[in-house]
Amino acid sequence: MKVMVVGSGGREHAISWALAKSPRVDTVVCVPGNGGTAYETKCVNIDPAAYSCPPQLGELERYVYIATQEGCAFAVIGPEAPLAAGLADMLEDAGIPAVGPRKQAAQLEASKDAAKQFMKKYGIACAKSESFRDPEQAHKYIDEQGAPIVIKADGLAAGKGVVVAKTAEEAHAAIRDFMEKDTLGGAGATVIIEEYLTGTEISMFAAVCAAPKLTDAARSCITPLMYARDHKRLHDGAQGPNTGGMGAVAPLTDITAQQYDDFIQYIYMPTFAGIVAEGWDYRGFLFFGLMLTKDGPKLLEYNVRLGDPETQALLPLLDSDFAELCEGLAGGKLGDCGVSWKQGFVCAPVAVSGGYPGSYEKGKRISIDNSRYDAEHVKIFIAGAKAADGGRLETSGGRVLSAAAYGTTAQEARSRAYEALEAVSFDGMFYRRDIGLPGAADST
């Protein structure tokens, strides 16, 4: 069968690669894809702007048109923006099953205010918070609560909508930027002011299948996938500015049985119960951003998709058929799909362009010497790079690629990953050297 993957990042390269491994998949249509999917087995990139579509079609309508014209059995939507805009709904209406929640359910990520109201409504363990549309009231609340404190813009803000303010002045400055200066283009019209939690951050993923039209109760279910850890800070030791992610590891060994049980009881199951109670059509992946505090796990946020770069660490560990899982999700038959994992570990550090997460130059030629690393146990996933003449790659983004290495031990995985990064070069290339080491995890 032929399937479609929407997106152009490292996550989408990993998703496409995993789908292409299935003997049931003949072609993965990557829209628009990137330099990695351009050269990936069974994958073909399609630029929606260049595809022969009726001229009156909008961007999302082009995705739907491509899926129907190419005869795709289902589509996997990678990024959050098209999910929030309703692409899953549009594909479903056109007869293309989609992996990804429908627009109404996507508000769990698209609106932090809606997500916090959902958490409160269903008694989900999370940080105490209040929402504000009036900047004067927001400033007053900060003065009452003091610092440290967390300021979150309500809408999607490309990773720029959260400020962990160590001082009251930093918090007030965030309110001025988000609400008064509108630096996020409307995403900060409403802000959530949240208590500052201390602990260690982790990521948990699940596959969710719930929809009002799934009348068979056995068809509505949630399946846990795996814990992973993203490393957001730019520099070693979790220092420097926040980024989109400098690397990920999976699985984790520092989660206690009690913490896992608390997560299931106070976050995971109440979330699923809430999705079902709301009557949402949610057939896709769900990310739980967690803080492991002294009082147990607390939910920081939801993402209504797989993570980036966590996906690059998770999918190489999957031992079952990813295409079967995605087809089951899209078709409302998750309960029929078994999910199994390899024993072992993956470490996936990310190489970025010089200057990232600030300004950086593009068009740098990338050299990868495949003979210098263990290609049997390492997969290099491309993110911000494009195909160039002669089968070459050139940088086109901030996060350029990740080296996802498998090992029977965490140390073996880590050694293979960094051996692979040493075989990669491009002008200005930078990466953290402590992904997977003790002390590298983001914590507050």
Side-chain angles (χ1 to χ4, degrees), residues 209-210 214-223 272 332-337:
C209 186
L214 301 177
T215 55
D216 182 350
R219 300 296 184 182
S220 293
C221 61
I222 181 169
T223 298
F272 180 59
K333 299 179 181 179
L334 175 62
D336 296 341
C337 302

Side-chain angles (χ1 to χ4, degrees), residues 7-163:
S8 61
R11 169 186 49 223
E12 285 74 44
H13 185 188
I15 289 171
S16 300
W17 166 81
L19 289 169
K21 288 173 63 180
S22 171
R24 302 176 64 244
V25 172
D26 300 311
T27 305
V28 182
V29 178
C30 308
V31 188
N34 62 27
T37 54
Y39 302 123
E40 191 63 63
T41 302
K42 294 187 184 179
C43 294
V44 58
N45 286 358
I46 292 181
D47 180 356
Y51 196 80
S52 181
C53 297
Q56 72 272 18
L57 296 185
E59 180 182 1
L60 296 186
E61 292 171 316
R62 284 177 172 266
Y63 287 116
V64 177
Y65 185 81
I66 291 168
T68 55
Q69 291 296 113
E70 295 294 323
C72 295
F74 63 85
V76 181
I77 305 169
E80 65 274 23
L83 288 168
L87 179 56
D89 308 64
M90 296 169 64
L91 285 163
E92 191 78 22
D93 289 344
I96 307 292
V99 177
R102 281 44 182 175
K103 184 176 183 178
Q104 190 177 26
Q107 67 183 309
L108 285 178
E109 180 173 3
S111 170
K112 290 184 174 61
D113 181 41
K116 292 298 291 193
Q117 298 309 317
F118 176 88
M119 294 176 205
K120 292 177 182 179
K121 182 176 180 179
Y122 292 102
I124 294 162
C126 61
K128 183 181 72 173
S129 69
E130 295 292 340
S131 300
F132 298 91
R133 293 190 60 85
D134 181 347
E136 183 177 337
Q137 292 300 314
H139 286 300
K140 180 180 178 182
Y141 185 77
I142 290 169
D143 289 334
E144 292 171 351
Q145 298 298 313
I149 201 164
V150 180
I151 314 298
K152 295 182 176 181
D154 172 52
L156 296 175
K160 300 176 182 178
V162 178
V163 172

Side-chain angles (χ1 to χ4, degrees), residues 234-246:
L234 180 66
H235 297 298
D236 289 1
Q239 301 297 310
N242 267 323
T243 71
M246 294 298 294

Side-chain angles (χ1 to χ4, degrees), residues 338-359:
V339 178
S340 60
W341 302 93
K342 299 175 185 175
Q343 295 296 312
F345 299 83
V346 169
C347 179
V350 172
V352 303
S353 297
Y356 175 83
S359 60

